[in-house]
Amino acid sequence: MKDGQQVDVTEQPAVEPSPPSRCAAQISASPTSLSLYAGEGEQDGAEQDREASPPRPTTHDPGPRIDVVTLFPEMFEPLRQSIIGRAVEQGQLVIRYVNPRDFTSDRHRTVDDYPYGGGPGMVMKPEPLFLAVESVADPESSVILMSPAGRVFNQQIAAELATRPHLILICGHYEGVDERVREHLLTDEISIGDYVLTGGELAAMVIVDAVARLLPGVLGHAESAGDESHSHGLLEYPQYTRPPEFRGWPVPERLLSGHHAEIARWRRRQALEVTAARRPDLMTPALLAELADDGTKKKKRRARTRPPEAAAPDSVEAAASESTPDV
Ligand code: 4FV
């Protein structure tokens, strides 16, 4: 097989997937040109010969380079907007799109075929996916398939992926991908939830968004990734902003007190109560104990642990009164 020369390979599979006599694929030795969905900034409409070295992260490591393997790069328009779009423009994040269809060389640019053994729908062929991934992969790449059979995505996994040097997110379509992709190409498989999508693109966008906002500098201080839901294993406490009263509904006094320790205590307790009410599955024994302790125990504990002589004058009475359980 001479290099680059089109070779027609008609495979006669053992059990013809119906309809019969469909030539399986033509694989050219090396992909000649790759049409990239005009990635962020420098790639607009430009055909880019991928052999040229992919843009390397700038001095400070802005976190993972992300390559999305997808038949529909245009679906990722939303990632060109808002916070993620700005992050890419500012070079805090590199997102590129690789289309498996660019790794086919048959006239029909075939990326899917009938399932062996029959059955509904089509299956994504292994060759275009392997070639697409191999065109951007390096030894440190995490090759992740979006699929309902993957580990269910959560904030911890987002934080984990944010530390990786290179993510390759494969977006399946149709009934899924040929099993040899799972067996010989993937390093990981992630699901965004127990439901079935038409394609992995929306799942990949969810993951890119959740990972990108954890990268240095992506969220301005106004959008801090501070103590938000799931960041401390708890759902977020209620948030309020002006006006202090809306349609007769006041903002909780505590928040207007300016007493930061008080406000922090109130928020912690709110987060505990909201989580216990809405996501009891997130309540660890420690969180349940903290929820049960309405602060009196903590005071008792503090009183118990404070050596008597150190007792501040005012608390002596307090200690006294405390020791007498209020009947
Ligand atoms: C999915 C999910 C998902 C399955 C068949 C694409 C579809 C089609 N991906 N989390 N849930 N993928 O439903 O990540 O190929």
Side-chain angles (χ1 to χ4, degrees):
M1 172 166 70
K2 283 192 289 323
D3 200 12
Q5 189 230 347
Q6 293 302 336
V7 179
D8 178 8
V9 185
T10 51
E11 257 177 70
Q12 293 308 324
V15 183
E16 279 298 319
S18 57
S21 73
R22 178 187 159 101
C23 87
Q26 294 167 328
I27 302 169
S28 65
S30 64
T32 48
S33 69
L34 302 160
S35 67
L36 272 178
Y37 169 62
E40 269 58 31
E42 78 278 342
Q43 289 152 348
D44 279 350
E47 284 289 329
Q48 169 184 324
D49 178 347
R50 182 172 301 288
E51 266 71 28
S53 65
R56 284 265 161 259
T58 53
T59 50
H60 69 287
D61 177 11
R65 286 170 295 125
I66 300 179
D67 281 291
V68 180
V69 176
T70 172
L71 295 170
F72 304 99
E74 60 284 356
M75 281 181 70
F76 289 79
E77 188 55 31
L79 294 185
R80 297 162 65 86
Q81 309 304 324
S82 173
I83 292 169
I84 309 298
R86 185 186 65 205
V88 168
E89 257 143 43
Q90 293 170 352
Q92 286 149 339
L93 178 64
V94 175
I95 306 178
R96 299 177 308 177
Y97 303 90
V98 190
N99 191 330
R101 212 175 282 287
D102 293 320
F103 294 84
T104 61
S105 50
D106 65 304
R107 202 147 25 79
H108 308 294
R109 308 181 86 208
T110 310
V111 293
D112 64 322
D113 206 336
Y114 295 96
Y116 274 120
M122 301 293 271
V123 175
M124 287 187 81
K125 293 171 63 61
E127 312 97 318
L129 288 171
F130 272 75
L131 294 173
V133 168
E134 288 158 357
S135 75
V136 290
D138 54 41
E140 56 185 12
S141 304
S142 306
V143 183
I144 307 172
L145 175 67
M146 310 294 107
S147 114
R151 54 183 177 142
V152 178
F153 190 56
N154 60 25
Q155 194 64 20
Q156 279 62 38
I157 297 176
E160 176 202 316
L161 297 181
T163 65
R164 300 278 180 74
H166 184 208
L167 302 179
I168 300 176
L169 306 180
I170 302 176
C171 304
H173 252 277
Y174 320 112
E175 293 313 304
V177 302
D178 183 285
E179 189 61 16
R180 289 162 287 191
V181 169
R182 186 172 279 114
E183 289 161 344
H184 306 293
L185 187 60
L186 303 186
T187 62
D188 198 353
E189 207 167 335
I190 293 179
S191 166
I192 61 166
D194 299 339
Y195 38 79
V196 181
L197 305 169
T198 59
E201 280 72 16
L202 294 175
M205 272 187 260
V206 164
I207 290 180
V208 169
D209 187 286
V211 169
R213 61 188 297 286
L214 298 175
L215 302 178
V218 170
L219 287 186
H221 73 79
E223 311 114 358
S224 76
D227 45 12
E228 61 206 354
S229 288
H230 299 297
S231 57
H232 303 300
L234 283 173
L235 299 183
E236 194 165 22
Y237 47 75
Q239 296 270 22
Y240 294 85
T241 186
R242 282 183 288 230
E245 179 146 332
F246 173 66
R247 296 187 182 178
W249 304 313
V251 168
E253 272 307 308
R254 202 73 61 85
L255 289 178
L256 307 175
S257 67
H259 194 300
H260 299 301
E262 271 305 308
I263 290 169
R265 250 196 303 281
W266 179 86
R267 283 176 166 172
R268 180 72 183 177
R269 175 139 297 274
Q270 289 293 317
L272 285 164
E273 287 168 3
V274 167
T275 307
R278 298 198 192 161
R279 292 291 308 279
D281 58 300
L282 293 176
M283 293 299 284
T284 61
L287 291 174
L288 287 168
E290 187 183 346
L291 180 65
D293 173 356
D294 59 0
T296 53
K297 282 203 197 64
K298 202 180 277 132
K299 273 209 202 72
K300 272 203 186 74
R301 225 188 351 270
R302 262 206 304 279
R304 259 203 310 285
T305 51
R306 188 171 47 244
E309 72 283 350
D314 65 343
S315 63
V316 171
E317 292 74 49
S321 61
E322 256 165 31
S323 56
T324 51
D326 42 23
V327 290

